[in-house]
């Protein structure tokens, strides 16, 4: 005889289902944002570029760590970003022997446009919630990610 799933099991399954749908929509938004920056840019390239443009990762090692991806994928994306004129490798001002990746002005402009579109869509959905609901949602997301 098979046990019926508990209310908690059903709730966990629903959360997993909703998260899967949300992640799929996020991947679509990354694809759209990548195309906004450049028609040939892949979603991973967009993630690499935004990591560089925001200053959260300015070396290949930092990008690999931040995005939890492999070195060859990051190398290919950085090379493409350089070819597209979106990223430059420059001497690290703190360590003249090292190099860091910086986003060009063109990249900053296009990333800002792509992020504005994404933030506008998300803002439209979230602004129908109360501030208390948003705070609670943010707390739950932080707990889930922590």
């Amino acid at each position: 005889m098979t046990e019926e799933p508990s209310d908690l099991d059903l709730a966990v399954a629903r959360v997993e289902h909703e998260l899967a749908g949300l992640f799929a929509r996020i991947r679509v938004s990354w694809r759209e944002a990548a195309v906004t920056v450049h028609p040939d840019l892949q979603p991973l390239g967009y993630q690499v570029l935004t990591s560089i443009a925001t200053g959260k990762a300015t070396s290949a090692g930092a990008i690999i760590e931040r995005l939890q991806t492999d070195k060859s994928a990051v190398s290919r994306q950085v090379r493409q970003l350089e070819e597209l004129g979106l990223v430059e490798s420059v001497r690290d001002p703190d360590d003249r022997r090292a190099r860091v990746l910086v986003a060009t002005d063109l990249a900053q402009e296009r990333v800002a446009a792509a992020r504005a579109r994404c933030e506008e869509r998300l803002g439209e959905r979230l602004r129908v919630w109360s501030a208390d609901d948003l705070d609670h949602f943010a707390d739950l997301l932080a707990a889930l990610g922590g």
Side-chain angles (χ1 to χ4, degrees):
M1 185 168 173
T2 306
E3 263 187 60
E4 290 293 316
S6 70
D7 288 346
L8 184 58
D9 291 335
L10 292 172
V12 167
R14 180 171 178 225
V15 168
E16 290 172 346
H17 174 78
E18 293 300 329
L19 283 174
L22 179 61
F23 294 149
R25 287 189 295 281
I26 289 169
R27 283 191 299 274
V28 168
S29 73
W30 283 337
R31 193 173 323 121
E32 291 171 352
V35 169
T36 298
V37 172
H38 192 279
D40 296 333
L41 192 61
Q42 297 296 310
L44 178 58
Y46 176 75
Q47 290 176 277
V48 169
L49 179 58
T50 58
S51 294
I52 296 167
T54 59
K56 294 181 180 168
T58 58
S59 69
I63 294 166
I64 291 164
E65 178 68 26
R66 179 170 170 72
L67 300 180
Q68 293 296 297
T69 191
D70 64 281
K71 184 178 181 177
S72 63
V74 168
S75 294
R76 281 192 304 276
Q77 296 305 316
V78 168
R79 188 169 43 254
Q80 181 188 31
L81 291 168
E82 288 176 323
E83 290 169 0
L84 295 174
L86 299 171
V87 167
E88 296 174 337
S89 174
V90 299
R91 286 199 191 283
D92 184 339
D94 298 327
D95 179 356
R96 303 295 289 166
R97 297 166 296 167
R99 300 192 68 80
V100 293
L101 299 166
V102 295
T104 63
D105 291 342
L106 174 63
Q108 293 287 0
E109 177 185 308
R110 291 186 181 178
V111 166
R115 291 178 63 92
R117 284 185 185 166
C118 181
E119 289 169 5
E120 182 180 335
R121 284 193 304 261
L122 183 60
E124 286 173 2
R125 290 181 177 211
L126 294 180
R127 290 196 195 306
V128 299
W129 295 8
S130 71
D132 287 341
D133 284 347
L134 288 170
D135 283 338
H136 183 66
F137 181 57
D139 290 342
L140 292 172
L141 285 173
L144 181 64

